[in-house]
DNA sequence: ACAGTATCGGGATTTTTTTATCGATAATGA
DNA sequence: TCATTATCGATAAAAAAATCCCGATACTGT
C-alpha cells in the first residue's frame, strides 16, 4: 500500500446548529412518547417548531436514524438515536465549582440528570456553606478540590466561580483528569489541546434580544 | 417620480453571529479602558480571543464605528458604538416571573445591569416568598402580576417559571404591554407578530459539549 | 391490484457566514 | 522628505448552513 496519498475522505463535519437543535426535538419526542404515540414524522416535528421539515430531517439524519417513507420514525428508536449521538445515555460525572446563586440554581435543576450529567458535589470557599448540602450535593472546601477531584476522577467541571478565578480552577481540575468544562463565567480559558470547553454566554443571548428590540417591532422575525 | 420601481435596496441583514460576539468584545474593551488604554486594534482583539482580525473588524463594522489605519479604534468611541448598537445604554425595564433557584440566580447577577437590563421586581406563587425581597427586588404575588405589570409597563419579561406555565404568563404579560421575552423555560411560545422572544437553551450548549466529548479528544477543536 | 399521496433520502441550489486579498491611509523612522 | 509598515475598509472567494427539488418507498383507499 505504499504510494497511496493521504486519503481524500470527505469527513463530513457534523454541523453545530443541528447538534444544538437535537435537544429540542428530544424533549418533544419524549412528550409524544409519554402520550402513547409510537411514530412521528419530520413534518409533524417541523410544524411543532415552526421549521421546515427538510431541516428537521437533516438534523435527525446526523444521528444515523433511518425512517420509513409515508410513516416517519419510530419514536423510541429516535429517542435512543439522539441520546446515543449526544452521549446522554451514559452518565458523565461532574463537579461544580462556585456554589453562589448561579451554582445553586444549576445544582437545583433536575433536568440536567436527563442529559446524563451527574453532578456529584461542589466546591466553595465560604465556610458557612462548606460541610452542608445544596440540593442534595455535598459542598466541599475549595482548598481540597485538587485532592477530592483526584479521587473522584470527574470528567466535567462546571465553572460558576468569579471570572478572575476561572483559569486557576480549570488548571487544577485538568491536573486531576477533567477533560471538559462547562463554563458559565465570561472568561476565555487557555486550555491545552484535547481539553474541551463550552461557554454559556447569557449576554450573547440578551444581545440578540435587545438589538432586535431596538430595530423596531415591524421588521423583526422570530427565529427558531 | 412616478414609474419608479420598488427600490432594489440591498438591506444587508445584520449577521446574528456578529451580534452575539459583540458582548465579548465589549467586556474586553471595558477592561482595557479601565487599565488606561485609549486605542485598540482589531489585531489586538483578535489575538485576545484567538480569532482572525478580519472577523473582528467585520463584527465591529456593524455598529457603524470607523477606525484609523495604523492606529485602530478609540476605545471610548467603540464602547459607545457597541452599547448603542445593542441598546445597552438605555435602561429597559423588566420583570422576572418565577423566583425559584434560577430566577434568584438571575436576580443576583449584577452583571445584567451593564446590559441595560433593569429588573424591577419578580412574581411568584410561594406565600413564603411573597412580600419578601430577593437580591433587593420585591417579590409580588403572582396573582397580581397582571395588575402590577399594567402599572409598571415593563418592556421585557424574564421567564423562569415551570415550562407548563410559560405560555399563560406570556399571554398575560403581552396584555400589559410587554414586547419581548427572555425565556429560560424549554417551551416554544406562541406569540403574536411583533413580540420578540429569545430562548436560553442550556441543553443546546451542553449538547455541543457532550457530543464532542463522545467523538474523542483528538479530532476536536475549541471554537470561539 | 392499482392509483394517489405523504414521507424519506440524496443531491443541487441558494443563502449566510467566514476567510482571503488588496488598495488606501496614517504613523514611524531613516 | 520619503520609504516602510500596521492597520483599516471594501471586495472577492471559500466554507458552512439552510432550502429546494426529485426519485423512491410504503401506506391508503378505491
Amino acid at each position: 500500500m505504499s504510494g497511496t496519498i493521504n486519503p481524500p475522505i470527505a469527513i463530513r463535519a457534523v454541523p453545530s446548529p443541528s447538534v444544538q437543535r437535537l435537544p429540542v426535538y428530544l424533549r418533544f419526542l419524549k412528550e409524544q412518547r409519554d402520550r402513547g404515540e409510537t411514530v412521528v414524522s419530520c413534518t409533524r416535528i417541523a410544524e411543532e417548531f415552526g421549521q421546515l421539515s427538510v431541516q428537521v430531517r437533516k438534523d435527525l439524519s446526523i444521528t444515523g436514524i433511518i425512517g420509513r417513507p409515508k410513516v416517519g420514525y419510530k419514536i423510541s428508536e429516535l429517542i435512543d438515536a439522539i441520546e446515543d449521538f449526544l452521549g446522554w445515555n451514559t452518565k458523565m460525572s461532574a463537579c461544580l465549582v462556585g456554589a453562589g446563586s448561579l451554582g445553586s440554581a444549576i445544582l437545583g435543576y433536575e433536568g440536567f440528570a436527563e442529559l446524563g450529567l451527574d453532578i456529584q458535589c461542589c466546591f466553595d470557599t465560604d465556610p458557612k456553606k462548606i460541610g452542608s448540602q445544596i440540593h442534595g450535593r455535598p459542598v466541599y472546601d475549595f482548598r481540597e478540590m485538587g485532592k477530592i477531584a483526584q479521587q473522584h476522577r470527574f470528567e466535567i467541571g462546571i465553572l460558576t466561580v468569579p471570572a478572575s478565578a476561572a483559569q486557576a480552577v480549570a488548571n487544577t481540575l485538568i491536573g486531576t483528569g477533567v477533560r471538559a468544562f462547562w463554563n458559565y463565567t465570561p472568561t476565555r480559558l487557555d486550555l491545552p489541546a484535547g481539553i474541551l470547553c463550552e461557554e454559556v454566554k447569557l449576554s450573547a443571548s440578551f444581545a440578540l434580544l435587545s438589538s432586535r428590540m431596538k430595530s423596531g417591532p415591524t421588521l423583526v422575525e422570530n427565529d427558531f
Side-chain angles (χ1 to χ4, degrees), chain A:
Chain A
M1 279 309 237
S2 70
T4 47
I5 310 292
N6 287 354
I9 301 168
I11 301 177
R12 204 180 334 183
V14 176
S16 300
S18 293
V19 176
Q20 295 191 272
R21 281 188 293 265
L22 290 180
V24 180
Y25 304 146
L26 184 59
R27 156 168 274 263
F28 171 69
L29 292 167
K30 287 183 172 177
E31 261 172 43
Q32 294 298 302
R33 179 196 57 191
D34 296 346
R35 284 190 187 187
E37 299 292 325
T38 58
V39 291
V40 71
S41 70
C42 290
T43 317
R44 174 73 188 85
I45 298 175
E47 183 188 320
E48 184 71 19
F49 297 108
Q51 281 174 275
L52 292 172
S53 64
V54 202
Q55 183 169 67
V56 175
R57 200 172 301 124
K58 275 231 152 103
D59 290 340
L60 298 181
S61 75
I62 70 178
T63 68
I65 190 77
I66 53 172
R68 290 165 64 194
K70 185 76 202 246
V71 179
Y73 303 89
K74 206 179 153 192
I75 290 182
S76 59
E77 271 179 21
L78 188 45
I79 289 174
D80 286 350
I82 294 175
E83 293 193 327
D84 211 61
F85 177 84
L86 296 175
W88 287 5
N89 43 14
T90 47
K91 273 217 172 79
M92 298 210 233
S93 75
C95 66
L96 182 145
V97 192
S101 46
L102 180 56
S104 304
I106 292 170
L107 291 168
Y109 181 53
E110 303 91 351
F112 290 147
E114 293 236 345
L115 322 186
L117 183 62
D118 181 24
I119 311 176
Q120 302 193 342
C121 64
C122 64
F123 300 98
D124 203 281
T125 53
D126 184 347
K128 287 194 289 293
K129 288 174 186 163
I130 295 167
S132 72
Q133 297 224 332
I134 296 180
H135 294 291
R137 267 59 140 265
V139 184
Y140 297 128
D141 190 335
F142 176 71
R143 288 167 299 186
E144 295 183 62
M145 183 177 71
K147 200 184 69 187
I148 295 174
Q150 196 67 252
Q151 297 164 350
H152 281 74
R153 299 234 128 239
F154 302 117
E155 292 170 274
I156 297 176
I158 303 175
L159 304 179
T160 51
V161 292
S164 56
Q167 183 68 58
V169 170
N171 294 344
T172 304
L173 288 179
I174 290 168
T176 70
V178 164
R179 63 193 186 92
F181 293 97
W182 202 12
N183 182 13
Y184 283 75
T185 79
T187 314
R188 178 168 180 79
L189 300 174
D190 198 10
L191 300 169
I195 304 293
L196 300 174
C197 180
E198 173 65 23
E199 292 173 30
V200 175
K201 281 170 284 206
L202 296 182
S203 56
S205 162
F206 189 72
L208 227 35
L209 187 65
S210 58
S211 69
R212 283 186 296 191
M213 285 178 78
K214 244 202 29 164
S215 349
T218 49
L219 288 166
V220 183
E221 292 285 296
N222 197 5
D223 72 8
F224 171 62

